[in-house]
Amino acid sequence: AAAAMSSPSSPTMIPLDVLLALPTATEFLAHLGGIYEKSPTFVEQFYTENLCPTSNDASTTQATKARITNIKILFDEIKQYVSRSPSEVQLELLRSHPDLCLKLEQIDATQREDDEATITEESRQEQGRAGLATLTPDERQNFTKWNEDYKSKFNIPFILAVRNASK
């Protein structure tokens, strides 16, 4: 059986069939709630409409489990909730991403009340694994300038999936 991703706070892998059989949204979100930066709502909507035993009849839940045979299909289905959401919700999702390479200490020190400047543990770990937490001062200065230029032009942060990237 295919294995599903787990969150950094839950480092063990979980088989896909076990993930799809979790009885509560809380348990499901513990494994997948971080796949969209600070936006677990999409994952929760998917679970509620497709897998929640108290919101769906058994045939709906069984059809979902039969349809989702691998993690890519699961993520594609969750992605549909993002695609169907209003443009402003999609923009907020994009704006919730942290600036690449901003010193993690800066993010912690400059957290704003609206929580925009905070970084999720997933992003912190991804940027660390990619070597972005150990930039030289010149590299950091370049990234900061590129981030600012991009934000001023597009009004969203530059977003790069750094999970498998390196500086």
Side-chain angles (χ1 to χ4, degrees):
M5 291 178 28
S6 63
S7 69
S9 61
S10 172
T12 58
M13 298 293 276
I14 182 171
L16 183 60
D17 61 332
V18 173
L19 178 70
L20 296 176
L22 291 173
T24 68
T26 301
E27 292 173 87
F28 194 76
L29 285 169
H31 293 281
L32 297 179
I35 64 173
Y36 289 106
E37 192 79 23
K38 298 182 198 164
S39 302
T41 305
F42 304 112
V43 175
E44 187 171 24
Q45 287 174 332
F46 167 81
Y47 179 86
T48 300
E49 293 180 15
N50 294 280
L51 294 170
C52 181
T54 59
S55 301
N56 299 288
D57 59 37
S59 64
T60 298
T61 303
Q62 287 306 318
T64 298
K65 291 176 183 178
R67 187 175 65 247
I68 297 175
T69 57
N70 63 57
I71 197 72
K72 182 184 181 326
I73 293 170
L74 174 61
F75 283 14
D76 286 347
E77 290 210 13
I78 295 170
K79 184 171 61 174
Q80 292 304 310
Y81 286 83
V82 177
S83 299
R84 291 191 304 247
S85 65
S87 297
E88 192 54 40
V89 171
Q90 292 179 29
L91 282 171
E92 286 305 313
L93 172 62
L94 296 175
R95 290 180 185 129
S96 71
H97 283 74
D99 285 348
L100 273 180
C101 307
L102 186 62
K103 288 182 97 171
L104 299 179
E105 310 82 65
Q106 283 179 297
I107 291 171
D108 293 337
T110 61
Q111 288 183 357
R112 290 177 271 181
E113 286 183 26
D114 64 5
D115 204 36
E116 218 174 275
T118 61
I119 185 169
T120 63
E121 187 58 30
E122 288 91 346
S123 288
R124 182 183 302 274
Q125 289 187 9
E126 286 175 4
Q127 288 197 27
R129 281 191 305 268
L132 301 181
T134 59
L135 295 174
T136 67
D138 285 343
E139 290 170 329
R140 186 167 314 284
Q141 183 178 6
N142 285 336
F143 268 105
T144 299
K145 181 186 180 329
W146 297 330
N147 284 332
E148 289 169 359
D149 290 348
Y150 192 90
K151 270 177 135 171
S152 71
K153 183 173 183 175
F154 298 106
N155 199 27
I156 59 172
F158 177 73
I159 301 169
L160 173 68
V162 297
R163 181 176 301 267
N164 296 313
S166 65
K167 68 174 188 170

